[in-house]
Amino acid sequence: MSAPERFLERLTQRRADDPSWVAARRQAGAARFEAMGFPTRRDEAWKYTDVRRIAEGDFALATDATFDGAHFEAQRLDIDAYRLVLVDGLFSAELSELEGLPDGVQVEALSQAVSANHEAVGGALGRLAGVDFSPFTALNTAFADEGAIVRLAPGVVVDKPIYVLLLSRAGGQAVMSHPRVLIEAGARSEATVIEHYSGEPEAANFTNVVTEVLLDRGAIINHYKLQEAALTDLHVASIHVDQSRDSRFNSYNLNLGGALVRTDLVTDLNGEGAEAAYNGLFFVQGRQHVDNHTLVNHNSPRTFSNENYKGVLDDRAHGVFNGKVFVKQDAQQIEAYQNNANLLLSDRAEIDTKPELVIYADDVKCSHGATTGQLDEDAVYALRSRGIDEPMARALLTLAFVGEVMDKVRLNVIAERVERAVAGRLPERFNLADLVETAEAIQEA
Amino acid sequence: MLEVKDLHVTVEDKAILKGLNLTINAGEIHAIMGPNGAGKSTLSAVIAGKDGYEVTQGTILFEGQDVLEMEIEERARAGLLLGFQYPIEIPGVKNIYLLKAALNAQRAARGEGEIPAPEFMKLVREKSAEMKLDPSFLQRAVNEGFSGGEKKRNEILQMLVLQPKLAMLDEIDSGLDIDAMKVVASGVNSLRSADRAILLVTHYQRLLNHIEPDRVHVLVDGRIVKSGDKELALELEARGYDWVLEESAA
């Protein structure tokens, strides 16, 4: 049996009572996945990322959504939000908190939408993330029967963040999950949506998520993806964004966890005045592998994009950044800025970075660049001259490097979490958690 | 406290200091003056351990210890601090991080535990107020986007928190307006005590109106050619350096 067949065989575990629109999607996804198979490093888009660990794995589907209470409290963000929780891909009503949603705001599990046979949801799903995008998108389409549906009526500004927490469990048979996130923002609506991947420390599961975000005229979505999966977890994600006129999409793609992580982020700027900001951070160590592929399509005139990705790599970690900006011929007077800066903390860490600009219009403002380097030695000296030893000086500067992206993060609870994680994950003698706490305390005083 | 003997220093094979002798005792303030290019900044940089300076001859002893054998951070922890003429911007490193890490490093070197958070917070708030720096400064990245005056006040803030035994201040008055100068001078004066010493490197006499030195030295072409009390600074202000050059050539 081939690897795709082996994966698809698990489909028989799934219920047979899907509405017809769901069944048709599944079949299309399965057929496409079987035809494509898993990507190999001969595929340009997967040149630096070997997915054999996924293809050769044996992943069941979870059958229940129980999660240890203490772990849950430790993992979840301490934030006042509308919360929807999935455990190994299954919806947990018990851990979710969706009471009090304002009028015009729909947040529900995909299974609830399917049960209610919400055909509007069916019409939106897959509109952006076609099964041809990648074998993983096809695989997700074949399996996806759970996820989060967020729909905002025109003009609604959601008072609290919408927090989707996806947890991965440890122990027993490794499982796979194929969650689907759909965000449909009506004209001039506004919301912050958090996708948070976390779980038990020894979890070794495979998560394959697809997110679609549709922004109508003037809508604003702040999208946080905080990926703190276990260092043994496998994680593949694609995020597809479609922006109408004057809409704004702010992405914060923050990667700390995972053994093998691949994220594709694609935005289509389809209306004048549409604006996308991509803020990215990856901090990897050990033998972690993280691959970010981003694409911005400037399809309309006077559209704007600004991308800033930072990577910190230690030990034998491997990072990949492939950022592409595409400007259509009649997309005049656009502005596109892209930057990727990486910091290597070890001689054996590796980064493959490729910023690309493809421009067919002639009246544009574009810039791109990539830098990879070590820490600023003048700054190291300045700190040492105050009595701070060299390892500590380097730790402070690493935290500072990360801080440049974190300063853009408007949710303090996430900024602090990432800062603490970075501080705490530096070698022990570099541990700056205490400093971060003092700084927070003095600010609050 | 500090004993510099027959110090010869080269930078990129060019001799800058050519046999400098200087003794500073606890409780004293010394000022080093001299024309541009005389080697004033080199002296404090070598004592602080900055890269790029080669000591070809001579010794520097600080409280009997051989400074040239110490790492940069060891010198600072022992109580030798240099306030920079051009403070370095450290993007992203908050002032508060630097101050706490530096203070705790110094305490650890003395075998003391870390400073308790409330005590630290009280200390830095007090010292910031003395330097007329808003507490929000503590959250800002070290020197990033600071005005010239703010950078200099920040150097002194570090001194006030770290309480060095020997504070060396390189052209701390450059780029300061008169109000900032007064704030900086009062900070420096508050460091003055019987068991500490201060070394001022300055081109102009005006700083010495605010910080009264015990000894003034004129550094010319890599050597101290004349030493005196504060009256010497006034004389230099009035007459320039030429007469000292002529006197020393004679």
Side-chain angles (χ1 to χ4, degrees), chain A residues 401-416:
Chain A
F401 180 82
V402 166
E404 287 173 48
V405 168
M406 298 319 296
D407 287 347
K408 296 270 168 54
V409 169
R410 278 175 268 180
L411 286 176
N412 271 342
V413 65
I414 290 183
E416 285 171 11

Side-chain angles (χ1 to χ4, degrees), chain A residues 228 256 399 402 406 412-426 431-441 444, chain B residues 97:
Chain A
E228 303 185 283
L256 300 169
L399 196 64
V402 166
M406 298 319 296
N412 271 342
V413 65
I414 290 183
E416 285 171 11
R417 180 121 161 176
V418 172
E419 243 182 24
R420 276 176 198 230
V422 170
R425 280 174 61 181
L426 291 164
N431 200 320
L432 303 173
D434 171 57
L435 279 182
V436 174
E437 274 167 34
T438 303
E440 285 165 14
E444 281 153 21
Chain B
Y97 291 0

Side-chain angles (χ1 to χ4, degrees), chain A residues 165-198:
Chain A
L165 174 59
L166 301 99
L167 294 165
S168 178
R169 281 178 300 195
Q173 162 78 45
V175 295
M176 61 178 170
S177 59
H178 303 275
R180 198 87 184 193
V181 177
L182 173 67
I183 303 167
E184 268 192 284
R188 298 173 318 282
S189 65
E190 184 174 345
T192 292
V193 180
I194 305 163
E195 285 179 44
H196 182 200
Y197 298 84
S198 187

